[in-house]
């Protein structure tokens, strides 16, 4: 008998635990005062800005920093941080920064204004795939309240999100049993059976990809 919600019976609501954890992370982030040079981690998808004077809580920005992404603080200005985002770009997909070369782990999605400010190193072909990748860096402004200096609570939240969402009906396959790029298709196939919103889904995917068989908890490379 299938145990999936809507087929056999209604599953219990397991969201209180992991959503409470995220509230704690947000509370700690609100008290953050990161210094220049500090490594920070986003815990939610946040707007990126070219210019701090145009940044604001209601502004959409010129790009998005996805949750569970790493950056380094370059400067501070009130409630805003100038961060350096480092990662990789595939030739022909210049509006996306990926965390690792050859892995579809998205760090940031960019508009034209931010694309123009990217610093690129010499491109090189990936011998395994034949695709051309460049190591890149980008400075952009983000709200101080959307990042945290401590990564451990983020991964604890991701683990609980995975356990509560995907471990109720069947044995939970370890994240490291699947390749990072394969997790996108695997999780998408299960999406209709789990009760999480789009932001939680994106975080869960990042958690699984960063802890996959071929990444093993890496945050950048």
């Amino acid at each position: 008998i299938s145990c999936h919600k809507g087929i056999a019976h209604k599953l219990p609501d397991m969201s209180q635990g992991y959503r409470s954890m995220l509230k704690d992370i947000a509370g700690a982030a609100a008290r953050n005062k990161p210094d220049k040079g500090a490594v920070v981690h986003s815990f939610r998808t946040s707007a990126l800005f070219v210019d701090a004077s145009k940044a604001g809580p209601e502004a959409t920005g010129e790009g998005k920093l996805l949750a569970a992404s790493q950056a380094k603080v370059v400067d501070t200005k009130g409630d805003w941080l100038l961060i350096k985002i480092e990662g990789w770009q595939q030739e022909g997909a210049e509006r996306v920064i990926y965390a690792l070369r050859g892995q579809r782990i998205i760090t940031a999605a960019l508009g034209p204004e931010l694309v123009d400010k990217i610093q690129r190193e010499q491109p090189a072909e990936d011998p395994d795939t034949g695709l051309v990748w460049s190591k890149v860096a980008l400075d952009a402004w983000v709200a101080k309240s959307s990042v945290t200096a401590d990564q451990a609570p983020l991964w604890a939240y991701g683990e609980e999100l995975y356990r509560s969402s995907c471990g109720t009906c069947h044995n939970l396959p370890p994240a490291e049993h699947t390749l990072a790029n394969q997790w996108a298709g695997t999780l998408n196939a299960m999406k209709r059976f789990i009760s999480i919103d789009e932001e939680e889904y994106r975080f869960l995917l990042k958690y699984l990809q960063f802890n996959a068989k071929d990444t093993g908890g890496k945050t950048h490379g």
Side-chain angles (χ1 to χ4, degrees):
I1 299 175
S2 176
C3 186
H4 285 129
K5 182 178 179 181
I7 297 176
H9 59 79
K10 185 176 181 179
L11 298 180
D13 183 1
M14 305 290 286
S15 65
Q16 184 174 355
Y18 60 76
R19 288 177 179 162
S20 176
M21 294 173 73
L22 188 61
K23 286 181 180 179
D24 290 342
I25 293 169
R31 299 187 293 271
N32 274 349
K33 295 181 179 179
D35 296 323
K36 294 179 183 179
V39 174
V40 294
H41 309 269
S42 57
F43 64 89
R44 61 187 178 201
T45 301
S46 305
L48 290 171
F49 297 87
V50 173
D51 188 344
S53 65
K54 298 179 181 179
E58 304 301 323
T60 57
E62 291 81 37
K64 297 291 184 185
L65 179 69
L66 272 68
S69 297
Q70 177 177 294
K72 183 178 288 186
V73 177
V74 176
D75 201 358
T76 65
K77 187 176 183 180
D79 294 331
W80 300 89
L81 301 175
L82 181 63
I83 57 172
K84 182 176 292 293
I85 303 165
E86 296 182 316
W88 294 84
Q89 281 192 331
Q90 182 189 327
E91 188 177 71
E94 284 75 19
R95 294 186 65 171
V96 178
I97 295 179
Y98 296 98
L100 301 169
R101 188 181 74 171
Q103 308 289 358
R104 308 297 179 185
I105 307 174
I106 300 176
T107 294
L110 312 174
E113 301 91 342
L114 285 173
V115 171
D116 290 342
K117 292 187 172 295
I118 290 175
Q119 305 164 30
R120 295 182 179 86
E121 295 184 8
Q122 187 67 27
E125 183 177 298
D126 184 343
D128 294 329
T129 63
L131 299 174
V132 177
W133 292 82
S134 299
K135 191 170 180 61
V136 299
L138 170 69
D139 290 353
W141 292 89
V142 70
K144 185 184 298 184
S145 60
S146 64
V147 299
T148 178
D150 192 355
Q151 188 186 48
L154 293 184
W155 276 177
Y157 163 69
E159 182 178 8
E160 179 62 19
L161 179 59
Y162 183 41
R163 185 189 66 80
S164 298
S165 301
C166 303
T168 305
C169 293
H170 52 71
N171 291 333
L172 200 64
E176 63 269 20
H177 282 195
T178 302
L179 300 175
N181 288 342
Q182 291 175 341
W183 265 122
T186 300
L187 192 61
N188 185 61
M190 297 299 295
K191 188 176 183 180
R192 65 192 180 97
F193 298 122
I194 54 180
S195 299
I196 57 177
D197 62 30
E198 285 298 319
E199 180 71 2
E200 291 166 342
Y201 177 85
R202 288 191 291 267
F203 194 106
L204 177 56
L205 177 58
K206 289 281 286 286
Y207 166 77
L208 293 170
Q209 289 181 310
F210 272 136
N211 291 278
K213 184 177 181 179
D214 51 348
T215 57
K218 294 179 182 177
T219 54
H220 62 84

